[in-house]
Amino acid sequence: MSSEQLVSARIRRRISRHVFIIKGDKMNLVKFFSDTSDIVFEPKEIRNRKINQFLDYIHGDISDEDIQDILEFIRSGRYHVCWLYAVVFSSFQCLINHGVWNEFLARAYHEYLDELGWDYELEIVGKMLSAGDIESVREFCLDSKLADEENNTYFMESTIWKGKDYGA
């Protein structure tokens, strides 16, 4: 194989590693989720573009298979080591928006808040869970913007949500 062919093959491999859109508008979520650890360390422009691709895709008309891929990402626990905060929070919101919400997902959401240091949010959701109120956890998840598409994070300044103090 000539050096020109080797370079061409390397470029094709590099490009294929970074392409998540396949067959028209279909995104390969399994590949995207498996690559999140690498995406975190990519240059900001590339990382943000991939996060935005993901967000645009899951806010569109996605298939039942895609919903299952998102559920598997949560069920597998891989979301615990995902430092793409907007991807994780939006995954939970996507499931809710597609009618998928239960105690397991509410507890998984709580665990993510705990592991990554959202203290006030953790206290609020924890109180809701201890009261068995997964519907309020659902609302909190939908209403809260804890990260953006540039992977910036936002933290509450108290345990007050919707006029109620969950820290008392």
Side-chain angles (χ1 to χ4, degrees), residues 96-133:
I96 291 168
N97 289 329
H98 286 86
V100 181
W101 189 248
N102 55 39
E103 186 176 351
F104 170 81
L105 291 171
R107 291 196 180 286
Y109 180 74
H110 179 260
E111 287 174 14
Y112 193 69
L113 294 172
D114 185 26
E115 289 185 20
L116 295 173
W118 270 272
D119 295 332
Y120 293 127
E121 297 80 355
L122 174 69
E123 195 166 342
I124 292 167
V125 170
K127 291 271 171 80
M128 292 171 179
L129 283 173
S130 67
D133 189 0

Side-chain angles (χ1 to χ4, degrees), residues 132-144:
D133 189 0
I134 65 168
E135 181 58 30
S136 289
V137 176
R138 177 189 167 285
E139 276 183 62
F140 183 86
C141 180
L142 285 174
D143 291 350
S144 300

Side-chain angles (χ1 to χ4, degrees), residues 33 54-55 58 70 73-74 86-96:
F33 289 135
F54 171 79
L55 295 174
I58 67 166
I70 294 169
F73 173 63
I74 302 296
V87 167
V88 175
F89 290 126
S90 295
S91 293
F92 281 108
Q93 292 171 340
C94 177
L95 291 172
I96 291 168

